Amino acid sequence: MGTTDRIFRVIIAAFLISLWPDGIITGPWAIVAITFTIVFVITSLVSFCPLYLPFGFSTQQKNTVILSNATRLTQNPWSSS
């Protein structure tokens, strides 16, 4: 899970939890909002969302390595030849 995704989840969680004490949401909707808040906070803390797995979705940046001279990497530097 990428940093932007984690920040977005915490902001949404803070917004949802702020609706409950003000009385904007009550009853079953408050329970749903608190549940989503807990899930968003936990998934942002552990940087893992299980719903991303079945869909092959990822918000992490891909690390790419650019090799300038690949032929040197194929040779063993410790060999005597």
Side-chain angles (χ1 to χ4, degrees):
M1 178 179 302
T3 305
T4 306
D5 191 7
R6 293 172 64 194
I7 292 170
F8 182 72
R9 287 172 181 267
V10 170
I11 290 171
I12 295 296
F15 173 73
L16 288 175
I17 204 70
S18 71
L19 296 176
W20 177 56
D22 294 338
I24 296 172
I25 55 171
T26 58
W29 288 111
I31 295 170
V32 170
I34 291 170
T35 304
F36 273 108
T37 299
I38 292 169
V39 170
F40 281 169
V41 169
I42 290 173
T43 56
S44 66
L45 287 175
V46 298
S47 298
F48 177 73
C49 181
L51 289 178
Y52 287 177
L53 285 178
F55 301 109
F57 187 71
S58 176
T59 57
Q60 288 183 337
Q61 282 185 329
K62 304 278 190 240
N63 291 333
T64 56
V65 177
I66 299 173
L67 301 175
S68 61
N69 194 350
T71 57
R72 289 189 182 185
L73 293 176
T74 59
Q75 297 173 354
N76 186 352
W78 295 281
S79 69
S80 59
S81 55

